[in-house]
Amino acid sequence: MTRVSFAEPPPLRYRYDSGVAPRLLAAAVQELGGPTMGTRWSVKYWHAPTAPGPARREVREAIETALDLVVRQMSTWEEDSDLSRYNRAAPGRWQKLPEPFFTVLRHALELARATGGAYDPTVGPAVNLWGFGPDPARRNVPETDELEAVRRRIGWQRVQLDTEQRRARQAGGTYVDLSSIAKGYAVDAVARALQRLGCGNALVEVGGELLGMGRRPDGQPWRVAVRLPGLEQGDAGPVLALKGLAVATSGDDFRCFAADDGLRYSHTIDPRTGRPVRHALASVTVVHAQCMQADALATALTVLGPDEGWAYAERERLAVLFIRRAADGGHEARPTAGFEALLA
């Protein structure tokens, strides 16, 4: 498990907001956590005294089983994962996929189609080339011929799905990377595992992606405060009430590198160019009923940028907070109508 990673551990993006009854929460809420996917997971949950739930050991086992399944199927860092075997498959080979992997890949391809390729699960070769994948980090910008070579391998249309037989075809040299959606799916999977155990009141987090279900012991919804770019680590921005909702953030504040040419390069790669995005967006926070969708949408909207991304989010009636860098060095917040409604 130590080799398995989807991303470097991000800095704290959210702060748990205990609200009006911290002593009550401290007495009733149980917390579990551990490593996964190169980052960490945590779960806060509670049971009413009149309806005691499963033992902590049973809860932990259910959580870790759900997380291990995602790693076993969708990790590019694990050589024996279903995804790694697909990426190594010979040209023209059809590979049968387990249901969770197929579901995530199908959604990724649907979002790729909807965004005109701004989101693309085949962007992996460019991610690796720029040093943001399993390959070693780099300090220099790739050569033009290197970029052209990986761009020829990128294109969501290269992946064919057979829905009836739940399989995918390898076109040859196609490298799928689900880092921008798998952690979100893992959050949803953990939430479903908890519900099967009767743990209906929980706050689930994997590597900075969260989902709140049920309520806290004081009857209030789970609340988290969003850390905005430019703020100190202990400061926080707007507080979100997660009433059966998930939240995910993408942004270049969290992962980037300064190259020898003196420029700063974001880890978010535009699949259409094979290069890091260069616009003024600092972060995008998406709130959605499914964490899988919030996770992928945060990446897609970051690639689309402050104007095209904004238009897409409003057209699709998404709850999104865009943060862009201002000319004076500060940051400007632009929430969609859906995000403002959540704050209200």
Side-chain angles (χ1 to χ4, degrees):
M1 288 288 289
T2 57
R3 294 185 296 107
V4 178
S5 179
F6 287 110
E8 293 177 357
L12 182 66
R13 297 179 186 175
Y14 311 99
R15 185 182 67 194
Y16 174 58
D17 185 75
S18 58
V20 297
R23 282 182 294 182
L24 174 62
L25 289 174
V29 174
Q30 300 188 63
E31 183 170 2
L32 295 171
T36 188
M37 305 179 191
T39 182
R40 295 192 63 80
W41 64 268
S42 70
V43 169
K44 294 179 172 68
Y45 71 101
W46 68 279
H47 296 285
T50 55
R56 284 171 60 89
R57 174 189 53 78
E58 187 179 358
V59 175
R60 176 177 287 277
E61 287 179 355
I63 294 168
E64 293 181 340
T65 296
L67 294 172
D68 289 347
L69 180 142
V70 176
V71 169
R72 190 165 63 250
Q73 294 186 12
M74 306 177 216
S75 173
T76 57
W77 293 68
E78 181 60 58
E79 293 180 359
D80 294 330
S81 72
D82 293 280
L83 177 55
S84 291
R85 289 191 287 106
Y86 171 82
N87 287 339
R88 292 195 305 269
R93 182 179 184 275
W94 285 91
Q95 179 174 324
K96 183 80 172 179
L97 305 181
E99 192 278 329
F101 180 11
F102 187 86
T103 296
V104 172
L105 180 57
R106 180 173 58 185
H107 178 74
L109 295 174
E110 289 172 352
L111 185 58
R113 181 182 296 107
T115 59
Y119 180 87
D120 192 330
T122 70
V123 73
V127 172
N128 295 344
L129 178 64
W130 285 88
F132 294 116
D135 295 346
R138 62 188 303 155
R139 301 289 297 183
N140 61 312
V141 176
E143 299 293 337
T144 301
D145 59 343
E146 293 181 289
L147 285 168
E148 288 305 314
V150 300
R151 285 186 65 187
R152 287 193 291 270
R153 298 174 59 194
I154 297 173
W156 59 271
Q157 301 93 334
R158 294 169 58 86
V159 181
Q160 291 179 259
L161 293 185
D162 179 349
T163 303
E164 288 188 4
Q165 298 191 49
R166 208 175 63 207
R167 58 182 187 161
R169 182 179 183 273
Q170 169 60 261
T174 303
Y175 183 95
V176 172
D177 184 340
L178 299 175
S179 300
S180 59
I181 189 171
K183 282 197 283 120
Y185 178 85
V187 170
D188 295 330
V190 168
R192 289 191 292 269
L194 291 171
Q195 288 176 324
R196 287 193 293 269
L197 285 177
C199 300
N201 301 298
L203 180 66
V204 181
E205 186 249 346
V206 178
E209 324 300 2
L210 297 99
L211 183 147
M213 58 182 185
R215 55 187 175 82
R216 306 183 311 189
D218 60 3
Q220 296 298 310
W222 299 97
R223 291 190 176 93
V224 294
V226 181
R227 184 180 73 83
L228 302 181
L231 293 181
E232 295 298 326
Q233 189 78 350
D235 295 336
V239 175
L240 298 172
L242 300 183
K243 304 175 184 177
L245 295 173
V247 57
T249 292
S250 176
D252 63 9
D253 252 28
F254 308 126
R255 202 171 169 210
C256 60
F257 79 89
D260 293 337
D261 60 7
L263 297 179
R264 182 172 175 270
Y265 293 90
S266 166
H267 79 285
T268 302
I269 306 296
D270 188 335
R272 301 166 297 185
T273 65
R275 297 175 178 272
V277 295
R278 298 294 297 165
H279 49 60
L281 269 186
S283 74
V284 175
T285 296
V286 179
V287 185
H288 198 281
Q290 280 190 312
C291 199
M292 176 183 70
Q293 297 210 47
D295 194 7
L297 281 166
T299 297
L301 296 173
T302 298
V303 172
L304 287 171
D307 299 318
E308 191 180 356
W310 168 267
Y312 181 94
E314 284 289 275
R315 184 170 64 250
E316 298 297 321
R317 299 182 179 180
L318 301 173
V320 186
L321 176 63
F322 292 82
I323 305 293
R324 63 184 300 168
R325 289 178 292 275
D328 62 2
H331 291 81
E332 298 173 345
R334 189 184 188 190
T336 63
F339 193 91
E340 288 187 305
L342 290 178
L343 297 180

